[in-house]
Amino acid sequence: MAVDANATSSGSRPAYHLATELVHIDSDAVKDNYNAASVPIYQTATFKQHSADGAGGDYDYSRSGNPTRTAVEVHMAKIMTAERAFVVSTGMTALDVILRLVKSGQEVIAGDDLYGGTNRLLTYVSQFNGVKVHNVDTTEVDRVVEKLDPIKTRLVLLESPTNPMIKIADIRTIASKVHEICPSALVVVDNTMMSPYLQNTLAMGVDIEYHSGTKYLSGHHDLMAGVIGCRTKEVGDLLYFVINASGSGLGPLDSWLLLRGVKTLGIRMEKQQSNAILIANFLEAQGLKVHFPGLESHPQYELHKSLSSGPGAVLSFETGDVGLSERIVESARLWGISVSFGCVNSLISMPCKMSHASIPAEVRKQRHLPEDLIRLCVGIEHPEDLISDLTQALETAGVPVKKNN
């Protein structure tokens, strides 16, 4: 079940479910004299003008804007219920653009369980840009509130669920508290793990939501992209200035690939999520410690249900032994050993050795990130095949498996 898309209707147009909105591109997003069924790829760097002063044209240079990029930005704004959306070269570029809104001397409050690349970029801005970064447990609202400073706090950065420990932040309450105590601060959520199909953070009072479009939005790991959606025009103008000035906007071919991928987000996410629920239950039945918000054993099961319409398709589990975890990962056949998630094929990894290896070991220890943790990113394969492969991987590694009669 996806988030309600009634807010996407306008004028006299009927309100459609989000699964429908994902598939249909607004016809006025791009002017096309030939009524192409697919948005054209405007593979051009520059556009001819009609007058010496260059005035009058919708586009002049693709760094500033391109019709194919406009089409995907308008589409993403619709499905994110954003005032304005932007697409840039990568998910980390999206965060870099957002962090350009933070000045030297200002502060950022972020979680203590973050994607490794996010931690790396926050470390950079703290070391070279004069920005103070506070890492706190965002599952506890009070830990966020006690770091808020009405003068210095500029950004509160959340992941929910977090990567890779799958912790949940009370997004609504945190956004409300931040805006009450620090009216000039921006609440930002990396919503990659859920996608707009399962969770709409802008509707919860968040100022900026961003995604790695490389993950669920594209769905096939054949492009790099980042997506930013904002709640107000004022914030949108600030973000566009940075994107235009830095030249970080997504190219036309990748914009077209992203637009094509988004159309199948609904059907992919439903299948991946249903697979993930079966796999999480299987692993928990083996006595393993499983982190997944679709399990009632998750400490924030009810909170996540109040924020999202589903648990998603990423989970992690602990074995208690690094060597055992390595053997499980290397014994998998269907599960590809790879970083990233959101692809149609299933992936397996050990975050501390791959996606989060850039976080120093002592910092991982301080943040209680288990070295033996295995992350599963569930794809669209038949669930019996995925569970069968996990079974043989566990058994090969020396874990006795309880099988259903």
Side-chain angles (χ1 to χ4, degrees), residues 236-301:
D237 290 343
L238 293 173
L239 294 169
Y240 175 73
F241 181 88
V242 174
I243 293 167
N244 184 41
S246 63
S248 55
L250 195 62
L253 178 57
D254 284 343
S255 293
W256 184 86
L257 286 170
L258 179 59
L259 188 61
R260 182 179 67 171
V262 167
K263 292 179 181 180
T264 60
L265 172 62
I267 193 168
R268 286 186 284 105
M269 183 59 85
E270 292 283 5
K271 175 60 176 173
Q272 288 173 272
Q273 179 172 256
S274 65
N275 280 352
I277 291 169
L278 293 172
I279 290 164
N281 281 304
F282 163 76
L283 291 171
E284 190 170 60
Q286 309 311 313
L288 296 164
K289 185 176 182 180
V290 182
H291 306 278
F292 184 61
L295 294 173
E296 293 187 14
S297 58
H298 192 287
Q300 295 145 316
Y301 173 78

Side-chain angles (χ1 to χ4, degrees), residues 93-167:
T93 302
L95 179 58
D96 182 60
V97 167
I98 295 165
L99 288 174
R100 302 294 183 99
L101 306 185
V102 184
K103 299 177 182 178
S104 178
Q106 293 184 320
E107 298 182 355
V108 174
I109 301 171
D112 60 0
D113 180 31
L114 294 168
Y115 166 55
T118 299
N119 185 83
R120 181 169 49 232
L121 186 54
L122 289 174
T123 300
Y124 180 89
V125 300
S126 69
Q127 292 178 344
F128 295 97
N129 293 7
V131 173
K132 175 70 175 177
V133 178
H134 300 282
N135 293 104
V136 303
D137 183 355
T138 54
T139 65
E140 298 184 35
V141 175
D142 290 345
R143 299 289 79 77
V144 177
V145 171
E146 67 187 17
K147 294 295 184 182
L148 291 174
D149 185 306
I151 305 299
K152 295 181 179 180
T153 302
R154 176 55 171 160
L155 224 64
V156 175
L157 176 61
L158 305 173
E159 288 183 13
S160 187
T162 61
N163 179 12
M165 293 300 290
I166 322 296
K167 299 177 182 178

